[in-house]
Amino acid sequence: MPRNKDITKVRNIGITAHIDAGKTTTIERILFYTKKVHRMGEVHEGSTVMDWMEQERERGITITSAAITCEWLKHQINIIDTPGHVDFTAEVERSLRVLDGAIAIFCAVGGVEPQSETVWKQADKYNVPRLAFINKMDRVGADFHRAVNMMAERLGNNPIPIQIPMGSGELFAGLIDLIKMKAVIYNERSLGAIWEEIDIPQDLLEYADEYRSKMLEAIADYDDEIMEMVLDERGDDIPIDTIRSAIRKAAIECKIIPVLCGAAFKNIGIQRLLDAVIFYLPAPTDIPPIKGTNPKRKREEIRKAADDEPFAALAFKIVNDAYTGKLTYLRVYSGTAKTGLQVMNTGTGKKERFGRMLRMFANKREDINEIYAGDIVAAVGLKRTRTGDTLCSEAKPIILESMVFPEPVISVAIEPKTQADQEKINDTLTRLSEEDPTFKVTTNKETGQTIISGMGELHLEILVDRMMREFKVEANVGKPQVAYRETIRKPVMSEGRFIRQTGGHGQYGHVLLDISPNSKSGYEFINRIVRGAIPKEYIPAVDKGVQEAMKSGALAGYPLCDIKVALVDGSFHETDSSEIAFKVAGSIALKDGIRKADPALLEPIMAIEIVLPEVYVGDVMGDLVARRGKINGIDIRGDGQIIRGEVPLAEMFGYATALRSMTQGRAIFTMEFKNYQELPEKIAKTMTAVRFYNERHR
C-alpha cells in the first residue's frame, strides 16, 4: 500500500515549554484549525484532547506526552505535546530524542522560565531545530521584546523575530508579518478562523521597518543573495520565497530561532504558527541520516530517511492501555514494516512481531496496515521491548543511540493494604516502571520494605494515584525520603584479596585499586594493568564488583557517586582464578578503600524560582534561608518579583502549603534538580549515628 504522504511533506514536531505557558491550549487551537476537532477544549474546563488522563484534567497540567497527527497545507504534522513540569522531564527527554523539530512556547509575561531553560538544553543535546512562539500577548504585563532578549541572554541562541505584535495586553490587536510586511487582524467572532491582511498602520510603519531590517541583516549571513541586496539597500525588493528559503536553511542548521507571537486563548496567531512549521521546520529528509552501531561488526552505520532502506525504528515510550494492552510508541527512521512482520530487537537480542499498528490521536487510535520512514506510531504485540530499544530488520541489524534519563531524587515506602492488593502490587509497579524510566522500584534489604523512587513529590503522587485508579490497588504510602549519595574526598590505594581453598577447585582473586574523587560527574573505571598481571578476561569482573560495592557507602549506606577507580595491579592463579573471584576481590578493595578515603555524604540541591508580590519578599526569603537555602538573585517581573535560589530537597517537603500560607495564596514556585552538594557536617554526623544505632540494635 503506498504511503499517505510524501516524506518531504511530513513534519515530526514537539511542543515544549515551562508549565502554564500555554502548550496544551495552543495545541487545541492547532487541532481546531486543522479540522481534527470541531470544538476547542479548554484546560480550565478539563475538556482538552491532549490532556486526557483524569489526573491531568483535575490538576490542569500535562503529565504524559501525547501524540497526534493532523494536516496543514497538504502536509502531515505529527505532534507530541510534552509536559512542562520538571517532575516529568523524562517525557520531554524521550520525545525530543525522536523529533525532527520543536515549537518552544514562552509566556509573554514570564519570558524564559526555569523549565524553559531545562527543555532548551535537552533540545540542544539532540540538535533539534526550533521555532519560538511568544504566547499570551493579551495578558497584562506582556512584553514581546523582553521575552526575545531573555531568550538571547539565558538560552544563548540567536532569536530572530519574523513577526512583531501590534500592541500588548488589552490593546493586543494582531501581528505584523515582517516577511510580507502586512498587518494581520483576527476576527474574534469567528474564533480566529477568519483573519484579514491589511497594510501596516502608518503609526506602526517605522517600528515594522526597523524590525524587518534587523531580520534581513540577521539572515543575510546565511544567504549571499540577501546579503547582496541588503548591502545595495534593496531590502524591499527581496522576494518572499528567497527570505523563507534563507530562514529555513538557517533554522534547520540551528543557527537561528525564528520567533513568532500570538495569544492562543484568544485564537490569535495559530495559523501563522502552522505555516511556519511547514516553511521552516525540517522534514525527515532534511536532517542528517540517523547513526547507529552494527551489533555484529561493531562499527558505525547510517540509515537514511527512505522507504527503500533497511527497517529501523526506536521505541521511545511504553504505555499500558486498558483495552489493547501494552502499547509501544515508535519513531520509524528508515524502511517500512507491515502488520505481522517479525523484527529484531537489538536491545535484547530477541525477535518481536507486530500484532497491530496504530496511528494515535491522544488516547484514541486508528488501525493502519503499514508504517513508513518518518512515521511516529504505536505498535501492539511487542512483549519484551522497553524504552530505548531498537527494532530493525533481521538481515541488517543496527543499534540506535538510546536515551539517558536522570536518577530519581526522592523515595517513599509503599505497602499493600490487603492480601488481595499484595498479589497485584508487584505487577502494577513493574508495569508503571516499564512506562516511566525515572520511576524505580527497589526493596530495602534491612527492612524488607518496597521503596518507590521518582523525580519529585508530584511525580510520586501521580503514580500512586494511577496505581489506585487504573490498577485498583490500594496501598499505604510512607513519608518521602531524600535520595542521598556518598562520595570520597581524597585518593587512596586499596587491596582486595579473595582466596578460598577447599578440598578441590579453590577461588583466587587479587587486585590493587587506585581510588580517587572524579572531577567529572559519575563513575569511571580505568584499566592500567601491564604485562598481564591479571588476564584480560577478568578485568570486566573487577569493574562489575566495584560497581556492585558502590550501591552501599561506608557512612550511611547510600550509593556512592563521582568516583574514579583505576585497576593498577594484582595477581592470579592458573587454576583457581575465576570471574567470580575477581568480582569479589574488586568489591572488597572498594569497600576497604572508601573507609580510608575521607567519605562524605551528599544531598540533592534544587534550583528554585518563586514568583510573588513584593510585599511578601522578606518573609519568603527569611523562610528560604531557614531551610538552608541560598538566594542567588531577585528580579522584577511586571507587578511582581522573582526570587531565584538553591535549596536542599530535604528541607522542601510540604513547601507548597507553607508558601501559600505565607503569601495568602498569591505566590507560585517551580523547583528542579540542580546537583549534589556535600551535607553540612553536623547533619551528616547525625545521619551516620542513626545508621550506627540501627545496626547495633538490628
Side-chain angles (χ1 to χ4, degrees):
M1 189 178 78
R3 62 158 59 240
N4 185 35
K5 277 280 181 289
D6 182 275
I7 194 168
T8 60
K9 294 185 180 294
V10 173
R11 301 288 184 272
N12 292 314
I13 67 166
I15 312 286
T16 67
H18 184 88
I19 191 169
D20 203 32
K23 292 186 309 304
T24 304
T25 302
T26 301
I27 292 182
E28 286 297 313
R29 273 56 184 170
I30 287 173
L31 297 180
F32 179 74
Y33 298 129
T34 57
K35 297 182 169 53
K36 272 290 179 182
V37 296
H38 66 277
R39 176 184 177 274
M40 290 180 277
E42 304 294 353
V43 173
H44 61 273
E45 294 175 357
S47 58
T48 60
V49 170
M50 301 303 265
D51 286 352
W52 55 269
M53 292 173 62
E54 289 180 38
Q55 293 87 348
E56 292 177 312
R57 292 182 168 178
E58 287 172 359
R59 292 166 175 81
I61 61 171
T62 301
I63 293 168
T64 183
S65 53
I68 204 159
T69 300
C70 57
E71 286 200 15
W72 186 255
L73 298 182
K74 297 183 179 179
H75 285 65
Q76 176 181 309
I77 307 177
N78 300 317
I79 303 174
I80 297 181
D81 178 23
T82 64
H85 198 287
V86 69
D87 281 16
F88 309 104
T89 186
E91 290 289 327
V92 184
E93 180 81 21
R94 58 183 168 194
S95 298
L96 287 171
R97 167 66 182 82
V98 300
L99 292 169
D100 302 327
I103 301 172
I105 299 181
F106 299 90
C107 172
V109 180
V112 177
E113 297 173 281
Q115 184 64 4
S116 308
E117 294 185 56
T118 303
V119 172
W120 199 268
K121 288 172 187 170
Q122 288 172 305
D124 281 342
K125 182 166 78 172
Y126 296 116
N127 214 30
V128 178
R130 275 146 280 176
L131 301 173
F133 181 63
I134 309 297
N135 191 26
K136 302 192 177 184
M137 282 304 306
D138 57 321
R139 287 265 304 273
V140 174
D143 190 331
F144 174 81
H145 300 295
R146 176 179 166 276
V148 173
N149 291 337
M150 285 179 76
M151 285 179 63
E153 292 166 10
R154 290 199 184 181
L155 305 178
N157 57 42
N158 188 15
I160 308 298
I162 60 173
Q163 298 173 354
I164 51 176
M166 297 172 64
S168 63
E170 292 182 357
L171 300 177
F172 180 55
L175 53 93
I176 294 173
D177 184 331
L178 297 176
I179 297 172
K180 288 185 172 182
M181 281 303 276
K182 290 285 185 179
V184 185
I185 307 296
Y186 287 80
N187 183 323
E188 282 195 33
R189 290 183 180 178
S190 71
L191 297 176
I194 298 173
W195 70 90
E196 187 181 359
E197 274 190 6
I198 61 172
D199 290 334
I200 298 169
Q202 200 64 35
D203 59 329
L204 294 175
L205 199 53
E206 187 178 339
Y207 166 59
D209 283 336
E210 178 192 347
Y211 276 90
R212 178 179 165 89
S213 297
K214 287 181 179 179
M215 177 191 73
L216 293 175
E217 286 170 14
I219 62 174
D221 292 338
Y222 310 105
D223 189 283
D224 293 339
E225 184 182 350
I226 292 178
M227 173 71 81
E228 190 177 321
M229 296 184 80
V230 167
L231 292 175
D232 290 346
E233 297 185 354
R234 291 185 292 128
D236 293 343
D237 301 330
I238 303 175
I240 289 173
D241 287 344
T242 302
I243 297 174
R244 285 178 177 162
S245 176
I247 293 173
R248 177 181 177 77
K249 181 175 181 293
I252 289 174
E253 292 174 0
C254 295
K255 291 176 179 174
I256 68 168
I257 308 294
V259 183
L260 300 91
C261 62
F265 188 67
K266 291 287 182 69
N267 313 309
I268 296 176
I270 304 303
Q271 294 94 332
R272 294 298 167 114
L273 178 61
L274 281 165
D275 290 347
V277 168
I278 305 305
F279 294 149
Y280 310 124
L281 289 183
T285 49
D286 292 320
I287 58 174
I290 191 76
K291 293 179 181 178
T293 304
N294 185 312
K296 293 179 180 177
R297 299 177 183 175
K298 305 296 181 187
R299 70 183 187 192
E300 186 177 272
E301 292 186 1
I302 63 168
R303 293 286 185 270
K304 296 176 183 175
D307 295 343
D308 56 2
E309 285 273 302
F311 178 74
L314 187 74
F316 68 94
K317 182 179 170 72
I318 308 293
V319 174
N320 286 291
D321 186 85
Y323 302 103
T324 56
K326 185 175 170 183
L327 279 177
T328 305
Y329 282 73
L330 302 172
R331 162 66 198 265
V332 184
Y333 283 99
S334 63
T336 65
K338 292 183 178 181
T339 303
L341 180 72
Q342 184 171 277
V343 292
M344 173 65 73
N345 181 335
T346 48
T348 62
K350 305 289 184 182
K351 296 176 182 178
E352 297 269 29
R353 190 179 299 278
F354 292 122
R356 290 171 64 195
M357 294 173 178
L358 308 167
R359 197 172 298 287
M360 299 304 294
F361 184 69
N363 64 326
K364 297 173 184 168
R365 54 193 64 84
E366 170 196 347
D367 276 278
I368 52 177
N369 296 319
E370 191 167 2
I371 54 177
Y372 303 89
D375 278 350
I376 291 179
V377 294
V380 181
L382 306 178
K383 296 176 181 177
R384 300 183 189 91
T385 301
R386 301 178 69 87
T387 300
D389 284 351
T390 302
L391 297 169
C392 61
S393 160
E394 292 181 64
K396 299 278 187 178
I398 191 170
I399 300 174
L400 303 178
E401 181 191 355
S402 189
M403 295 148 270
V404 178
F405 298 103
E407 286 297 312
V409 296
I410 185 172
S411 303
V412 296
I414 188 167
E415 60 182 26
K417 283 187 176 179
T418 67
Q419 184 63 38
D421 292 322
Q422 173 73 57
E423 295 169 5
K424 292 191 289 184
I425 193 167
N426 291 335
D427 179 57
T428 300
L429 293 175
T430 300
R431 287 199 198 180
L432 290 172
S433 63
E434 276 183 357
E435 288 188 18
D436 187 345
T438 58
F439 176 59
K440 306 285 186 187
V441 183
T442 56
T443 302
N444 187 312
K445 292 179 181 177
E446 295 179 4
T447 63
Q449 285 181 305
T450 299
I451 306 296
I452 58 174
S453 307
M455 300 306 297
E457 284 185 279
L458 180 61
H459 186 202
L460 291 182
E461 179 190 321
I462 296 293
L463 286 165
V464 171
D465 191 44
R466 283 190 61 200
M467 190 172 70
M468 294 177 180
R469 288 197 201 187
E470 291 177 32
F471 299 95
K472 312 300 181 193
V473 177
E474 294 293 325
N476 295 317
V477 182
K479 290 183 178 178
Q481 295 186 350
V482 176
Y484 292 99
R485 294 284 184 270
E486 296 187 25
T487 192
I488 57 174
R489 289 180 279 208
K490 70 177 187 183
V492 294
M493 296 293 290
S494 181
E495 190 174 26
R497 291 177 182 270
F498 182 65
I499 303 172
R500 291 285 184 275
Q501 291 300 332
T502 59
H505 186 69
Q507 294 284 0
Y508 185 97
H510 170 223
V511 300
L512 187 66
L513 301 180
D514 181 0
I515 306 168
S516 60
N518 194 358
S519 56
K520 303 174 192 173
S521 179
Y523 163 72
E524 192 176 349
F525 181 82
I526 303 167
N527 176 21
R528 291 189 188 149
I529 292 294
V530 292
R531 291 189 292 275
I534 298 175
K536 282 191 289 188
E537 62 264 29
Y538 297 142
I539 306 297
V542 179
D543 182 13
K544 195 172 181 182
V546 167
Q547 290 191 54
E548 286 196 5
M550 286 178 64
K551 292 177 182 177
S552 178
L555 289 175
Y558 293 107
L560 287 151
C561 67
D562 301 342
I563 289 178
K564 184 191 293 184
V565 176
L567 176 59
V568 294
D569 203 359
S571 61
F572 71 102
H573 191 279
E574 288 288 350
T575 56
D576 289 352
S577 285
S578 64
E579 287 189 11
I580 189 68
F582 275 97
K583 180 180 170 184
V584 175
S587 179
I588 291 170
L590 186 88
K591 286 180 178 177
D592 288 348
I594 59 174
R595 293 189 183 97
K596 300 177 285 186
D598 193 15
L601 278 172
L602 304 176
E603 64 176 339
I605 301 297
M606 312 300 283
I608 188 169
E609 186 167 291
I610 307 166
V611 182
L612 73 171
E614 185 179 2
V615 65
Y616 302 112
V617 167
D619 291 342
V620 171
M621 285 177 61
D623 179 70
L624 267 185
V625 171
R627 295 172 186 266
R628 297 193 288 120
K630 182 173 78 174
I631 309 299
N632 291 336
I634 302 177
D635 297 328
I636 297 171
R637 180 186 294 173
D639 56 353
Q641 301 217 2
I642 307 167
I643 300 173
R644 288 180 290 104
E646 301 168 17
V647 63
L649 175 62
E651 306 289 343
M652 296 303 286
F653 296 129
Y655 185 66
T657 303
L659 184 66
R660 274 197 298 268
S661 177
M662 275 186 286
T663 63
Q664 297 180 0
R666 296 174 65 193
I668 58 170
F669 80 101
T670 54
M671 211 168 54
E672 64 178 315
F673 173 73
K674 184 179 183 188
N675 57 25
Y676 274 95
Q677 292 180 15
E678 196 170 322
L679 200 63
E681 192 174 349
K682 186 176 179 183
I683 300 174
K685 282 182 177 178
T686 303
M687 290 179 63
T688 307
V690 168
R691 187 204 181 197
F692 180 72
Y693 176 85
N694 289 339
E695 286 183 347
R696 286 279 302 273
H697 293 80
R698 203 184 310 166

